[in-house]
């Protein structure tokens, strides 16, 4: 399950349907395991545990890595940021955007009896990167930092707003502790009073 969580969270930007398939898989797996436990196995012996121990740390690290990986995937594989920068610098209607993103093949390639071809890159006629490429790289890195900070802030805010133990359960735990102390005090009082 932890491996599945890792793959789903880290690569969700690459394949957005993966969480749906994981949900369906887990639903089927829970139903099959329930059938096995009810019909085929003996009742398992219950063991008390304080928490999920080291698994919480592993899941937390996976969540942080997935935010950073998804920020890089969005910044470097999508056309979102180049379009945004082109709209800001050149034309808000994106007229000429496709032609702007295509670079010409280097002169050495054309000189060796090849036809002129174009490929997707931000390079000039000599093959070196244009100023737009460096601006786009700065925008991408800025997006990564901003995206990561916004997501981590939202995570911390939700963590702060949602209590670990619900208030109704906390009241029941306090009541149970009080009743246990009361029963212990009554038991000690009964032991200490002399029999008549």
């Amino acid at each position: 399950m932890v491996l599945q969580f890792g793959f789903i969270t880290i690569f969700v930007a690459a394949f957005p349907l993966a969480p749906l398939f994981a949900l369906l898989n887990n639903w089927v797996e829970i139903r099959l395991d329930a059938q096995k436990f009810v019909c085929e196995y003996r009742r398992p012996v219950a063991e008390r545990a304080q928490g999920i121990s080291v698994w919480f740390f592993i899941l937390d690290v996976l969540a942080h890595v997935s935010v950073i990986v998804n920020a890089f995937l969005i910044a470097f594989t999508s056309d979102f940021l180049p379009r945004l920068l082109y709209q800001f610098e050149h034309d808000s209607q994106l007229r000429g955007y496709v032609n702007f993103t295509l670079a010409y093949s280097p002169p050495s390639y054309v000189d060796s009896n090849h036809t002129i071809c174009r490929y997707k890159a931000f390079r000039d006629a000599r093959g070196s990167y244009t100023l737009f490429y460096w601006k786009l790289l700065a925008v991408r890195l800025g997006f990564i930092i901003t995206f990561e900070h916004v997501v981590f802030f939202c995570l911390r805010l939700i963590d702060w707003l949602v209590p670990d133990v619900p208030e109704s359960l906390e009241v029941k735990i306090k009541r149970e502790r009080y009743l246990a102390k009361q029963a212990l005090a009554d038991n000690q009082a009964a032991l200490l009073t002399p029999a008549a």
Side-chain angles (χ1 to χ4, degrees), residues 49-66:
Q50 289 291 346
I52 60 173
S53 65
V54 74
W55 290 108
F56 181 78
F57 174 73
I58 292 170
L59 291 171
D60 194 42
V61 167
L62 278 175
H64 282 79
V65 168
S66 70

Side-chain angles (χ1 to χ4, degrees), residues 66-86:
S66 70
V67 169
I68 295 167
V69 167
N70 281 307
F72 272 95
L73 281 173
I74 292 169
F76 284 98
T77 62
S78 74
D79 225 17
F80 170 68
L81 293 174
R83 285 176 188 263
L84 202 64
L85 187 59
Y86 184 83

